[in-house]
């Protein structure tokens, strides 16, 4: 509080980290200052508590056991970016998935993001509307977290995101369903007590290469110059279920290849290469050992052969005649020229 | 537990208990029971009829049947649409803040690959792909910001509004450090490159100057030697540096005579005069070795007609004679 008062006069662009608390508290204090001084393009908005929070969405974000550090950081990043989220302890893998519905009910959440790690390599993500609604399972790849130093943007903690979707989402029914799911899960409700009233970052969902790519950008200027904040990941849809964490399958992605299958194919291709080489070698061996077929002389081939004329071997016994040189009588000989020059020199 | 295990559609009463008529107020109870809203195989008259028809078609046509259902879309797209219509919430745009737009097309790039068609973006080409995401975000922002301003939702944070950020100050410091170090490294390498280039140029200039000096020294020494040997009695070489600059400026007729033989003659004198070129004169090349043109058999065997003074001139005079010559010239 004191810190905020001190800095009010100075035009410091860098944000100052405050103690974790109600972000709406300093707003009434800061409000009379800028409003009274000059009319600006923007003004401090009304505190969040003044608006009525109607859209009661709560998302439970948690994971199973056996996740690695990257997944854990991704989870934490999502919890930071989404103020309407709740955390929970890791779920034991022995329990069946429908238990998650109960957990959500206990926590009074109506959406869920559940991370499941298999073999300590593959990460699966469930997005679900918990009591009855549809759920979807994805394979998550190419995770980059907020902490990566290449992502230089920053945004307010709890600010509301703008969601940007690819036009492809409207073209297929399963994508339309996924779009609705994303909107309901990722958009922060207005006037949520933990949210900030500003809209300063944008989530993009794009469909490329039959996968959904997620990016998070910070809006710097009004002319849409953006900087990436992170995190970023790629979702590969596996199935959409009608129920939450179960129920009949509404859609199955035909382009999905399980990571096990992928690894197996790679191994098979390597093995196939090796096997092919071996086979080629064996065939060559067999060929060598085969009795070779003797080809008879074809008499008709020699029809057009004409023997070349024999050249006589000339042995040089006499010395070759010297070349006839043509002398230029006008030009004095070399020695005479030299003599003349010397004379000239001596006499000079 | 039990409720959740039971497949949906069998007990609409359960759902009705929670929210009255349930989530399908537009359907009557019998319709719900009949399963018109659900496409699971074990419920529904309509569904059963459809399945019968399908199996009939398959059995009759045999191998020639085309699949009535697209692969991957089981049972049908209707199920998805139905689910979507149930699941969809009618919220004001300001609650959802979603924009569906393709990427911004760059005007100068129209000829190449930036088309509105998504297939043009090669997913393997990282830069192109990330640029397409960036442009999509830009398009969304450009569309949404005016709308937000109309709804009086702020998008710009005032300078004195301090609140917690998603990344801590420490993290931002680290990022700044990294960027700075990268820039410094680049600058250093640029400077090193420039220095190297400068050094090379400097070295070149230096060698040129040294060579020039050596040439001058050599020519000066040659001129001095010539004067010493008595082959030229002009002391012009001392004044050469001074007169040459003056001579260039004037260039009148009288000066021309002083210049002596023309350029071609001077070149030939330099190359062949005063005994010829000294450097490289002792090369025994194949041609010089095989060249017997300067062989006079009669002279060699002392059989030719002797011309007056020929012997004396052909033979190189002895040491005494040569010294005498020298002293005589001086």
């Amino acid at each position: 509080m004191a810190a905020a008062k001190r800095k009010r006069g100075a035009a410091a662009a860098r944000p100052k980290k405050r103690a974790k608390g109600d972000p709406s508290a300093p707003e009434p204090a800061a409000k009379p200052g800028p409003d009274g001084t000059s009319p600006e393009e923007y003004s401090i908005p009304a505190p969040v508590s003044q608006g009525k929070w109607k859209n009661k969405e709560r998302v439970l974000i948690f994971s199973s056991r056996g996740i690695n550090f990257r997944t854990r950081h991704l989870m934490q990043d999502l919890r930071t970016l989404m103020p309407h989220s709740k955390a929970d302890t890791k779920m034991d893998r022995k329990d069946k998935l429908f238990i998650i519905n109960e957990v959500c009910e206990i926590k009074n959440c109506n959406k869920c993001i559940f991370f499941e790690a298999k073999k300590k390599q593959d990460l699966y993500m469930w997005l679900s509307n918990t009591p009855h609604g549809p759920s979807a399972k994805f394979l998550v790849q190419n995770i980059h977290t907020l902490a990566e130093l290449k992502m230089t943007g920053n945004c307010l903690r709890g600010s509301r995101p703008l969601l940007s979707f690819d036009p492809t989402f409207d073209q297929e029914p399963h994508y339309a369903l996924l779009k609705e799911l994303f909107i309901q899960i990722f958009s922060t409700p207005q006037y949520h007590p933990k949210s900030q009233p500003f809209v300063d970052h944008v989530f993009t969902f794009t469909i490329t290469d039959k996968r959904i790519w997620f990016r998070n950008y910070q809006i710097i200027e009004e002319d849409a110059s953006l900087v990436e904040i992170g995190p970023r990941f790629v979702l590969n849809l596996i199935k959409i279920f009608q129920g939450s964490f179960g129920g009949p399958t509404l859609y199955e992605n035909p382009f999905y290849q399980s990571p096990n299958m992928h690894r197996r194919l790679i191994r098979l291709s390597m093995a196939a290469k090796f096997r092919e080489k071996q086979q080629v070698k064996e065939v060559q061996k067999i060929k060598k050992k085969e009795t070779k077929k003797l080809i008879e002389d074809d008499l008709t081939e020699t029809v057009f052969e004409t023997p070349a004329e024999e050249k006589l071997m000339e042995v040089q016994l006499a010395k070759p005649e010297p070349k006839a040189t043509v002398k230029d009588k006008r030009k004095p000989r070399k020695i005479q020229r030299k003599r003349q020059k010397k004379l000239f020199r001596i006499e000079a | 537990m039990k409720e959740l295990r039971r497949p949906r559609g069998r007990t609409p009463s359960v759902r009705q208990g929670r929210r009255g008529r349930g989530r399908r107020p537009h359907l009557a109870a019998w319709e719900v029971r009949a399963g018109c809203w659900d496409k699971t195989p074990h419920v529904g008259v309509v569904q059963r009829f459809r399945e019968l028809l399908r199996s009939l078609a398959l059995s009759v046509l045999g191998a020639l049947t085309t699949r009535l259902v697209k692969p991957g879309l089981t049972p049908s797209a209707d199920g998805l649409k139905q689910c979507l219509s149930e699941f969809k919430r009618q919220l004001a745009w300001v609650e959802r803040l979603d924009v569906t737009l393709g990427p911004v097309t760059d005007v100068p790039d129209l000829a190449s690959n930036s088309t509105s068609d998504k297939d043009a973006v090669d997913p393997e080409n990282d830069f192109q792909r990330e640029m397409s995401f960036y442009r999509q975000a830009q398009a969304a922002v450009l569309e949404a910001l005016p709308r937000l301003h109309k709804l009086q939702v702020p998008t710009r944070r005032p300078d004195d509004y301090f609140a917690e950020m998603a990344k801590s100050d420490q993290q931002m410091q680290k990022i700044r450090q990294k960027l700075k170090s990268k820039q410094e490294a680049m600058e250093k390498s640029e400077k090193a490159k420039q220095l190297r280039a400068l050094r090379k140029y400097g070295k070149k200039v230096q060698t040129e100057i040294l060579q020039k000096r050596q040439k001058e020294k050599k020519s000066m020494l040659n001129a001095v030697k010539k004067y010493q040997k008595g082959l030229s009695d002009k002391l012009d070489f001392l004044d050469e540096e001074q007169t040459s600059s003056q001579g260039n400026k004037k260039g009148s007729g009288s000066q021309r005579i002083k210049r002596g033989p023309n350029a071609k003659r001077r070149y030939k004198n330099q190359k062949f005069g005063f005994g010829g070129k000294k450097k490289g004169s002792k090369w025994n090349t194949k041609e010089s070795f095989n060249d017997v043109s300067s062989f006079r058999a009669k002279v060699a065997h002392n059989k030719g007609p002797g011309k007056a003074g020929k012997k004396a001139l052909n033979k190189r005079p002895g040491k005494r004679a040569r010294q005498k010559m020298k002293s005589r010239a001086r």
Side-chain angles (χ1 to χ4, degrees):
Chain A
M1 287 280 206
K5 274 196 180 164
R6 221 192 305 132
K7 291 276 169 96
R8 211 194 300 162
R14 257 197 301 135
K16 192 151 190 277
K17 187 178 178 179
R18 288 172 53 252
K20 276 188 203 174
D22 196 1
S24 55
E27 290 174 75
K31 200 177 168 183
D35 275 359
T37 47
S38 57
E40 296 163 292
E41 298 169 0
Y42 47 84
S43 56
I44 306 283
V48 167
S49 52
Q50 280 189 4
K52 188 121 171 53
W53 174 34
K54 284 188 200 138
N55 179 15
K56 307 273 167 117
E57 291 281 353
R58 292 180 195 87
V59 182
L60 183 68
I61 305 181
F62 72 122
S63 73
S64 71
R65 303 189 77 89
I67 52 171
N68 63 356
F69 66 97
R70 213 184 290 273
T71 317
R72 200 169 13 95
H73 279 115
L74 177 65
M75 225 170 44
Q76 281 172 2
D77 294 340
L78 284 178
R79 283 183 199 148
T80 322
L81 288 173
M82 293 158 63
H84 57 292
S85 64
K86 290 195 181 169
D88 197 31
T89 55
K90 289 185 197 159
M91 188 185 84
D92 209 6
R93 237 182 291 137
K94 276 184 276 173
D95 302 331
K96 305 286 173 189
L97 281 172
F98 56 79
I99 295 225
I100 300 177
N101 293 321
E102 295 202 337
V103 176
C104 286
E105 212 182 305
I106 292 169
K107 288 259 171 172
N108 193 17
C109 291
N110 58 356
K111 296 283 186 300
C112 177
I113 301 180
F114 177 65
F115 289 100
E116 194 180 352
K118 292 255 170 86
K119 284 190 171 183
K120 293 188 187 174
Q121 282 171 357
D122 315 319
L123 179 68
Y124 297 99
M125 179 164 100
W126 288 86
L127 289 181
S128 152
N129 174 28
T130 21
H132 324 281
S135 55
K137 184 176 182 187
F138 300 92
L139 173 71
V140 189
Q141 293 167 317
N142 293 7
I143 300 173
H144 294 261
T145 57
L146 265 182
E148 299 219 347
L149 292 175
K150 294 226 168 137
M151 320 239 192
T152 49
N154 201 354
C155 67
L156 279 174
R157 188 171 227 173
S159 64
R160 300 185 60 212
L162 193 60
L163 301 171
S164 158
F165 292 96
D166 205 8
T168 325
F169 274 101
D170 287 337
Q171 287 162 11
E172 304 270 327
H174 57 275
Y175 284 142
L177 184 59
L178 283 180
K179 178 180 162 184
E180 189 60 35
L181 201 59
F182 288 143
I183 290 174
Q184 290 191 14
I185 288 178
F186 287 103
S187 62
T188 306
Q190 208 181 14
Y191 308 123
H192 189 280
K194 282 198 202 156
S195 71
Q196 300 279 356
F198 300 100
V199 175
D200 63 353
H201 64 290
V202 50
F203 288 163
T204 46
F205 296 89
T206 322
I207 296 179
T208 312
D209 194 24
K210 303 178 193 78
R211 293 174 171 84
I212 302 172
W213 302 68
F214 172 87
R215 296 282 181 275
N216 179 12
Y217 294 101
Q218 177 195 9
I219 306 170
I220 303 176
E221 288 293 325
E222 301 283 308
D223 67 350
S225 55
L226 308 166
V227 171
E228 190 160 356
I229 309 170
R232 44 152 93 166
F233 48 86
V234 178
L235 299 173
N236 202 350
L237 175 67
I238 305 175
K239 274 189 186 184
I240 303 181
F241 300 99
Q242 197 175 14
S244 165
F245 294 100
T249 313
L250 284 175
Y251 178 76
E252 188 177 344
N253 186 5
F255 304 108
Y256 169 71
Q257 194 186 58
S258 85
N260 279 334
M261 187 62 68
H262 183 71
R263 288 189 278 259
R264 180 165 178 264
L265 285 176
I266 290 174
R267 248 182 296 136
L268 281 178
S269 69
M270 301 286 280
K273 251 195 263 176
F274 183 68
R275 226 178 289 142
E276 215 183 284
K277 272 194 221 167
Q278 292 277 37
Q279 276 177 0
V280 164
K281 271 195 202 166
E282 280 172 24
V283 165
Q284 277 179 350
K285 264 195 212 169
I286 291 168
K287 265 196 187 171
K288 270 194 201 166
K289 289 191 185 157
E290 265 178 9
T291 50
K292 297 203 174 93
K293 191 178 161 190
L294 205 65
I295 303 174
E296 293 168 3
D297 285 336
D298 195 3
L299 290 169
T300 53
E301 269 187 16
T302 56
V303 168
F304 290 106
E305 267 180 29
T306 46
E309 284 177 12
E310 265 197 48
K311 252 189 177 180
L312 287 168
M313 271 271 286
E314 267 194 34
V315 179
Q316 263 190 355
L317 297 165
K319 187 181 165 186
E321 285 167 14
K323 247 193 325 181
T325 52
V326 179
K327 278 193 208 164
D328 189 7
K329 297 280 173 156
R330 282 177 294 169
K331 204 175 176 189
R333 280 187 288 172
K334 214 176 170 182
I335 297 164
Q336 281 180 345
R337 266 183 282 144
K338 261 193 179 174
R339 242 186 283 154
Q340 276 176 12
K341 273 191 187 165
K342 218 172 184 182
L343 274 171
F344 175 67
R345 253 182 275 141
I346 292 164
E347 283 161 20
Chain B
M1 228 19 164
K2 258 192 176 179
E3 286 175 3
L4 291 161
R5 284 253 184 83
R6 239 177 264 148
R8 297 174 64 212
R10 288 271 169 99
T11 53
S13 55
V14 174
R15 218 161 293 102
Q16 275 178 17
R18 276 234 192 109
R19 295 194 206 165
R21 213 29 181 344
R23 294 159 96 224
R24 280 156 227 94
H26 57 283
L27 294 171
W30 72 267
E31 281 174 308
V32 172
R33 254 178 278 127
C36 295
W37 50 272
D38 185 36
K39 297 302 172 193
T40 50
H42 17 266
V43 185
V45 176
V46 178
Q47 182 62 15
R48 276 204 212 110
F49 180 69
R50 267 207 193 167
E51 281 214 314
L52 208 71
L53 200 67
R54 201 178 298 157
S55 58
L56 194 73
L58 281 169
S59 61
V60 166
L61 298 173
L64 296 173
T65 39
T66 54
R67 296 192 62 179
L68 296 170
V69 174
K70 243 204 286 181
L73 229 69
T74 52
S76 70
D78 293 341
L80 284 167
K81 286 185 186 149
Q82 195 100 44
C83 195
L84 175 62
S85 59
E86 292 164 14
F87 173 55
K88 202 161 187 159
R89 291 182 65 187
Q90 300 302 329
L91 293 167
W93 182 80
V94 77
E95 280 283 348
R96 303 181 319 153
L97 293 178
D98 72 317
V99 179
T100 309
L101 268 185
V104 173
T105 48
D106 296 324
V107 173
D109 220 25
L110 271 174
S112 56
N113 43 24
S114 121
T115 55
S116 53
D117 183 16
K118 235 354 162 116
D119 300 325
V121 174
D122 175 24
E124 304 296 325
N125 184 350
D126 292 343
F127 183 69
Q128 207 185 27
R129 194 186 62 219
E130 296 298 323
M131 280 314 291
S132 80
F133 298 157
Y134 185 86
R135 281 188 273 120
Q136 188 194 321
Q138 274 189 323
V141 165
L142 288 171
E143 212 241 276
L145 283 187
R147 273 174 91 172
L148 285 170
H149 287 144
K150 256 192 260 173
L151 295 165
Q152 270 118 36
V153 176
T155 53
R156 248 191 97 182
R157 188 167 44 89
D159 289 336
D160 52 357
Y161 184 95
F162 296 111
E164 199 171 357
M165 306 291 279
K167 295 190 193 174
S168 65
D169 275 353
Q170 223 180 27
Q171 179 73 13
M172 296 312 284
Q173 280 288 340
K174 255 198 248 174
I175 292 172
R176 229 168 274 140
Q177 278 295 323
K178 182 131 198 262
L179 282 175
K180 227 198 289 183
S181 63
K182 255 200 217 171
Q183 209 170 11
E184 273 172 18
M186 224 168 59
E187 274 175 25
K188 245 196 242 176
S189 70
E190 275 290 323
K191 256 195 238 171
K193 255 191 238 175
Q194 273 180 359
L195 259 174
R196 254 181 279 141
L198 199 70
R199 245 183 261 149
K200 245 193 185 173
Y201 178 70
K203 180 97 186 211
K204 203 166 73 167
V205 166
Q206 199 185 37
T207 51
E208 271 177 27
I209 289 172
L210 283 173
Q211 275 178 359
K212 202 171 99 181
R213 271 193 219 150
Q214 277 180 351
K215 241 195 257 177
E216 276 180 46
K217 184 176 167 188
K218 190 171 118 185
S219 59
M220 180 68 120
L221 283 176
N222 274 347
V224 168
K225 233 192 258 179
K226 274 187 231 159
Y227 178 71
Q228 278 181 342
K229 287 198 178 171
L231 303 169
S232 70
D233 57 355
K234 303 177 215 165
L235 283 168
D236 276 351
F237 57 86
L238 285 173
D239 316 324
E240 243 176 61
E241 293 89 82
Q242 291 142 27
T243 50
S244 64
S245 53
Q246 286 176 13
N248 285 337
K249 286 179 192 170
K250 284 183 188 174
S252 58
S254 56
Q255 299 291 336
R256 268 191 184 261
I257 299 165
K258 253 194 181 174
R259 279 208 204 127
N262 67 356
K264 187 177 175 183
R265 189 68 262 152
R266 268 185 287 140
Y267 170 71
K268 295 233 172 163
N269 279 346
Q270 191 213 342
K271 204 172 178 193
F272 309 112
F274 305 124
K277 207 171 182 184
K278 294 296 168 200
K279 265 193 173 178
S281 59
K282 296 217 174 175
W283 285 341
N284 272 333
T285 58
K286 192 176 182 184
E287 286 83 24
S288 74
F289 189 77
N290 291 335
D291 177 33
V292 290
S293 55
S294 55
F295 178 77
R296 304 273 173 264
K298 289 196 175 168
V299 171
H301 301 306
N302 226 351
K303 279 184 192 157
K307 288 184 189 166
K310 180 188 157 187
K311 268 192 186 172
L313 284 171
N314 255 349
K315 273 192 175 177
R316 187 169 164 239
K319 187 171 175 180
R320 281 293 297 159
R322 269 186 281 132
Q323 277 181 346
K324 268 192 201 163
M325 270 163 56
K326 242 205 240 174
S327 54
R328 211 195 316 146
R330 274 201 193 164

